[in-house]
Amino acid sequence: MDVKIEQSWKIRLGEEFNKKYFKKLSEFIREEYRTKTIYPPAKLIFNAFNMCPFERVKAVIIGQDPYHGQGQAHGLCFSVMEGVSHPPSLTNIFVEIESDLGYKPYSSGDLERWAAQGVLLLNATLTVRAHLAGSHQNQGWEIFTDSVIDIINREKRNIVFFLWGAYAQKKGEAIDRSRHLVLESVHPSPFSAPRGFFGNRHFSRCNKYLQEHGIEPVDWR
């Protein structure tokens, strides 16, 4: 199956694209885009990979679903398109960055600036129906993104994984803690952020670890 995705990922994920589950997933997704309003736009489904080639990955933030409101999702977890109001979780991420690092992030909620530095902004499920959270779960995306995490875990070293909330933590259970840094806390949503996301200092801890291993830190602005 010819999937349009950045070449370094295509090389590593080629076997996944030919598996039975992915062919079934592709049929489902094509029909969903044909008959319903689906986010992100089809050309941006693999935006996280296209913006962050495999060789450049230094950190991975794991989300769950794309945003399901109009004009929000563009293939990067927690990120919204330029000019779109910040969802509450993203607002809380920016609050923690300012508290942790002492600088205020840029006003834009478009996190392509992080992806360009090697931060893979990976949702577990890469598509969703408009206004219906979780609507594309258990169709095969989770198998695909588990494979992505496994490839990074096995083929790279000294990657920083951000696992916010029980869902992301379960998805990252198999990550080798002797090879990588795994940062865990509650989710940045308004319901849980005051119970351990605020004050987790994940951004400074990430940069300290990267620098200790001779890797350029991330400018989280």
Side-chain angles (χ1 to χ4, degrees):
M1 179 176 293
D2 185 27
V3 175
K4 291 180 173 58
I5 191 171
E6 192 276 331
Q7 187 63 22
S8 66
W9 288 108
K10 191 168 191 173
I11 291 168
R12 289 166 176 83
L13 295 168
E15 290 185 10
E16 294 300 310
F17 298 142
N18 290 314
K19 289 181 179 177
K20 185 176 180 180
Y21 87 86
F22 196 88
K23 292 178 180 178
K24 185 177 178 182
L25 168 64
S26 296
E27 292 171 3
F28 168 77
I29 294 300
R30 277 196 295 270
E31 183 64 12
E32 286 285 286
Y33 274 96
R34 190 182 71 81
T35 59
K36 299 178 176 65
T37 300
I38 306 299
Y39 299 126
K43 66 181 180 180
L44 297 178
I45 291 174
F46 296 108
N47 198 27
F49 303 92
N50 296 334
M51 290 294 304
C52 186
F54 180 82
E55 291 82 3
R56 292 169 59 183
V57 175
K58 63 176 73 169
V60 182
I61 299 178
I62 297 177
Q64 190 165 351
D65 276 353
Y67 296 123
H68 52 79
Q70 183 177 2
Q72 291 181 308
H74 64 134
L76 308 177
C77 74
F78 294 106
S79 179
V80 290
M81 293 187 184
E82 185 72 36
V84 175
S85 298
H86 300 173
S89 292
L90 181 58
T91 295
N92 288 339
I93 289 169
F94 284 173
V95 167
E96 176 57 24
I97 289 171
E98 185 173 5
S99 172
D100 184 13
L101 298 174
Y103 54 65
K104 193 174 184 67
Y106 300 131
S107 59
S108 174
D110 183 344
L111 303 182
E112 288 186 0
R113 59 188 184 271
W114 295 359
Q117 297 178 72
V119 181
L120 182 66
L121 296 161
L122 180 68
N123 274 317
T125 302
L126 300 189
T127 54
V128 69
R129 283 187 196 173
H131 314 301
L132 197 58
S135 49
H136 283 185
Q137 291 179 6
N138 303 314
Q139 297 291 338
W141 278 132
E142 295 91 342
I143 302 171
F144 174 72
T145 51
D146 279 348
S147 295
V148 171
I149 293 167
D150 180 59
I151 288 167
I152 297 170
N153 180 48
R154 288 186 291 104
E155 295 193 17
K156 297 184 78 75
R157 294 191 71 90
N158 304 322
I159 302 299
V160 182
F161 288 88
F162 294 78
L163 308 182
W164 296 331
Y167 184 92
Q169 288 160 22
K170 182 172 177 56
K171 195 164 181 69
E173 281 178 343
I175 296 167
D176 185 347
R177 269 69 171 172
S178 70
R179 293 171 62 92
H180 309 288
L181 175 64
V182 176
L183 299 173
E184 297 182 311
S185 79
V186 299
H187 194 274
S189 74
F191 304 104
S192 54
R195 295 187 283 106
F197 182 79
F198 294 140
N200 66 23
R201 304 201 66 197
H202 280 183
F203 302 97
S204 61
R205 290 167 65 186
C206 168
N207 281 354
K208 181 174 184 289
Y209 178 85
L210 292 175
Q211 287 177 304
E212 287 173 349
H213 291 85
I215 302 167
E216 186 74 21
V218 178
D219 182 347
W220 292 107
R221 283 173 285 194

